[in-house]
Amino acid sequence: GKPGSTWLTAFVVKSFAQARPYIFIDEDDLTKSIDYLKRVQNPEDGPLKGCFFENGKVFSSYMQGGMGKDSNDVALSSYVLIALLQAGTAPQDKVAVDALACINREVQAQTDLDVYTTTLIAYANALYNSSS
């Protein structure tokens, strides 16, 4: 089959996590989506360790903050980390620790981040720190 979209899966995980107090959410479906996100995280040592990558195709730039093709890995990694934390992933979990390290490494390396990406980075850091 075709690969899933990392952006779309993170959007679904985030939406399900936010809806959980109000409607029934199948925990098996949520777990499968979280497991998918964990599989698309770069496990290799190096400058991209812990970063997430888009596998599939995104047909709407809405969840990318309107960035579309200009979307970048640090925005995606921040968005995925936010979704995972909101879904209950512990900040001490390796996936969260590595994702935060990726995001903050990229912040140091890039000087021309757009407002949407900067906001995602700030929110991911705040959510991570308030969860730990």
Side-chain angles (χ1 to χ4, degrees):
K2 293 183 179 183
S5 164
T6 306
W7 275 107
L8 182 58
T9 304
F11 180 79
V12 168
V13 166
K14 187 173 180 297
S15 299
F16 279 7
Q18 291 172 337
R20 209 177 347 195
Y22 308 105
I23 62 170
F24 170 76
I25 298 295
D26 187 322
E27 291 298 318
D28 286 342
D29 287 341
L30 188 57
T31 300
K32 285 177 188 175
S33 296
I34 290 169
D35 289 345
Y36 169 80
L37 292 174
K38 289 179 178 181
R39 284 193 309 272
V40 296
Q41 185 179 38
N42 184 357
E44 306 292 325
D45 284 333
L48 297 178
K49 179 179 178 149
C51 298
F52 294 90
F53 299 98
E54 180 58 69
N55 275 337
K57 198 171 202 162
V58 178
F59 293 99
S60 168
S61 63
Y62 167 75
M63 71 189 90
Q64 297 170 301
M67 292 168 39
K69 292 178 180 146
D70 295 332
S71 170
N72 58 53
D73 294 333
V74 70
L76 175 60
S77 295
S78 299
Y79 193 84
V80 172
L81 178 58
I82 291 164
L84 291 172
L85 291 171
Q86 287 185 338
T89 300
Q92 303 85 355
D93 190 307
K94 183 172 174 25
V95 70
V97 171
D98 288 351
L100 189 71
C102 159
I103 292 162
N104 290 330
R105 234 182 3 259
E106 287 296 307
V107 169
Q108 299 297 321
Q110 296 185 27
T111 56
D112 60 341
L113 294 170
D114 60 88
V115 174
Y116 180 70
T117 301
T118 303
T119 304
L120 285 175
I121 291 166
Y123 185 50
N125 273 279
L127 198 58
Y128 182 91
N129 290 324
S130 72
S131 300
S132 48

